[in-house]
Amino acid sequence: MKTLHNKVDKRLLKEQLLQSNKKRITLSFYQYAHIANPELFRDHLYTLLKTYKVFGRIYVAKEGVNGQMSVPEEQYDRFVEALYSVDFLNGIRLNVAIEDDGKSFYKLAIKVRDKIVADGLNDASFDVTNKGKHLSAKEFNELTEKESTVVIDMRNHYESEVGHFENAIKPDVETFREALPVVIEILEEKKDHDIIMYCTGGIRCEKASAYLKHNGFQKVYQVEGGIIEYARQVKEQGLKNKFIGKNFVFDDRLGERISDEVISKCHQCGATCDTHANCANDACHILFIQCEACAQKYASCCSVKCADFNKLDEEMRTQLKKKLEFNGTKFGKGRYKAHRKDEELVIE
């Protein structure tokens, strides 16, 4: 019987990837479709992709599939051919990363979920196919020249903190589920305006634009392929780039640069910086922005407490991690509290 999940220790896999000189291509894709048996399709997809040494994270649900992955450069053409052999994936757009060192993923994980993006919506209550019109980069640039056009960022606050489109409305939310009602409230008085929604690769806007139209908005648009495709088109066609800063991505890179501007600051010292990091203490793992100087000072941790905890032997850490409270225990993604950085480890 074939192994349909990874059994190798993730730390070893990550070390092997970092030491490898083999070139890999990072990409993402999504497709809404009716999948009658997600478990069966999940197993088929795992077997198919493992053949080409694909690493990544893919969610499969009855409503479709959502994947982010990296593929060996030498296997890329065969990978695309294999992916397109699946009827409902044939010809889908593959969003290839803008900035890529091939170190984005180190194992393949395909999981069955209720939805491919957690949106909290009851799809039966509205027409999910009545979505916003897709805009190319050129069309986006032209429409945003109109003063009345509204651009809305459908991503989370820690994503827009490091990069966003010019003059975009950036809801202060932590999840996509949380964003939808907030966006409806923000835009309530703008139902007669042109509304352009955008996200990383387009998937969140597919559902969100349909939800806006269900709530009475008529002139709803979405950026085709999200920030990733916009940046590609801008570069290929020599267009003005209206995206400022960095595009946050959900893999080990945590970001890819779209423009030279750095618009955020280190959460620990306030220096100009847009480098996201997860606290090196796995018992904390909070997401925050950290400059090189603070990474050295705090040993890539969010606090003295976490740095000291990491110095303990593995047995002691295992005993203590469920008893201690860290920044990541209390705060959500990007809700780092800088005043806690100098709190010391106390073992009772």
Side-chain angles (χ1 to χ4, degrees):
M1 181 177 178
K2 291 184 179 180
T3 301
L4 296 180
H5 60 88
N6 170 65
K7 289 187 175 181
V8 182
D9 183 88
K10 66 179 182 180
R11 287 172 294 187
L12 177 59
L13 290 171
K14 193 167 187 177
E15 184 178 336
Q16 290 174 347
L17 177 65
L18 292 174
Q19 292 177 352
S20 173
N21 293 321
K22 185 174 290 187
K23 291 185 178 180
R24 302 183 68 90
I25 296 172
T26 300
L27 61 98
S28 62
F29 71 89
Y30 68 87
Q31 182 74 319
Y32 282 99
H34 296 295
I35 301 177
N37 189 332
E39 289 80 8
L40 184 63
F41 178 71
R42 180 263 170 210
D43 291 350
H44 169 68
L45 193 60
Y46 190 97
T47 302
L48 184 69
L49 298 184
K50 189 179 179 184
T51 305
Y52 302 100
K53 301 189 185 304
V54 171
F55 298 156
R57 178 177 57 247
I58 303 172
Y59 295 140
V60 175
K62 288 186 176 180
E63 67 173 2
V65 59
N66 175 21
Q68 299 89 38
M69 66 201 64
S70 77
V71 185
E73 191 177 65
E74 62 190 27
Q75 298 275 20
Y76 184 75
D77 290 341
R78 288 186 288 273
F79 155 77
V80 173
E81 185 179 350
L83 192 68
Y84 284 3
S85 71
V86 179
D87 285 346
F88 76 88
L89 297 179
N90 187 19
I92 63 165
R93 181 182 57 250
L94 302 177
N95 284 327
V96 177
I98 304 301
E99 248 189 359
D100 184 23
D101 60 3
K103 311 298 183 184
S104 50
F105 298 97
Y106 51 88
K107 66 176 182 178
L108 177 60
I110 306 181
K111 300 181 179 181
V112 174
R113 291 283 191 261
D114 289 335
K115 290 195 172 190
I116 54 177
V117 176
D119 53 35
L121 298 175
N122 176 9
D123 292 355
S125 67
F126 68 104
D127 182 2
V128 296
T129 67
N130 183 26
K131 55 195 177 185
K133 179 184 176 183
H134 285 211
L135 295 177
S136 66
K138 184 174 183 294
E139 291 169 329
F140 172 86
N141 283 2
E142 290 172 352
L143 189 54
T144 52
E145 288 301 309
K146 285 178 58 177
E147 189 175 343
S148 61
T149 298
V150 179
V151 180
I152 186 84
D153 194 323
M154 291 308 300
R155 302 171 305 150
N156 307 320
H157 75 93
Y158 54 88
E159 298 174 79
S160 61
E161 183 177 11
V162 295
H164 54 79
F165 278 109
E166 294 175 358
N167 303 315
I169 295 173
K170 306 176 291 295
D172 184 19
V173 296
E174 198 170 312
T175 66
F176 181 53
R177 180 194 298 262
E178 182 187 350
L180 290 167
V182 171
V183 167
I184 294 294
E185 184 177 353
I186 290 173
L187 299 179
E188 186 61 37
E189 303 301 320
K190 301 181 183 294
K191 288 191 173 181
D192 60 337
H193 289 235
D194 292 307
I195 308 291
I196 306 177
M197 316 181 85
Y198 72 90
C199 55
T200 307
I203 186 171
R204 283 176 274 190
C205 295
E206 289 289 304
K207 189 74 67 73
S209 63
Y211 188 64
L212 244 67
K213 295 186 78 172
H214 172 69
N215 279 273
F217 295 86
Q218 298 301 318
K219 296 185 286 185
V220 181
Y221 303 87
Q222 55 181 304
V223 178
E224 178 186 11
I227 299 163
I228 298 173
E229 178 64 12
Y230 174 86
R232 187 189 69 78
Q233 291 182 19
V234 162
K235 185 176 181 180
E236 284 188 355
Q237 299 172 32
L239 303 172
K240 178 183 178 182
N241 178 19
K242 292 195 173 189
F243 190 89
I244 307 166
K246 212 174 197 181
N247 179 32
F248 183 94
V249 292
F250 293 88
D251 57 55
D252 276 17
R253 295 173 300 150
L254 292 178
E256 53 185 14
R257 186 155 300 288
I258 307 299
S259 77
D260 293 333
E261 295 96 335
V262 178
I263 64 171
S264 54
K265 298 182 182 299
C266 173
H267 287 172
Q268 291 178 309
C269 72
T272 300
C273 176
D274 59 6
T275 302
H276 271 104
N278 285 110
C279 179
N281 171 14
D282 287 340
C284 174
H285 207 60
I286 195 169
L287 179 72
F288 67 113
I289 296 174
Q290 185 179 54
C291 69
E292 290 184 9
C294 286
Q296 184 173 357
K297 179 179 179 179
Y298 296 100
S300 299
C301 289
C302 71
S303 64
V304 171
K305 182 177 182 178
C306 283
D308 287 346
F309 180 80
N310 266 3
K311 294 175 184 176
L312 301 174
D313 61 52
E314 186 174 356
E315 183 179 353
M316 180 65 76
R317 291 199 306 270
T318 301
Q319 290 177 12
L320 292 174
K321 66 182 179 181
K322 291 185 178 180
K323 300 177 183 179
L324 297 175
E325 197 174 78
F326 301 100
N327 285 333
T329 312
K330 297 187 71 174
F331 308 118
K333 276 191 174 181
R335 300 296 186 190
Y336 171 73
K337 304 295 183 182
H339 67 271
R340 292 173 61 96
K341 68 183 185 297
D342 296 321
E343 181 184 4
E344 296 184 352
L345 178 68
V346 177
I347 301 175
E348 298 180 352

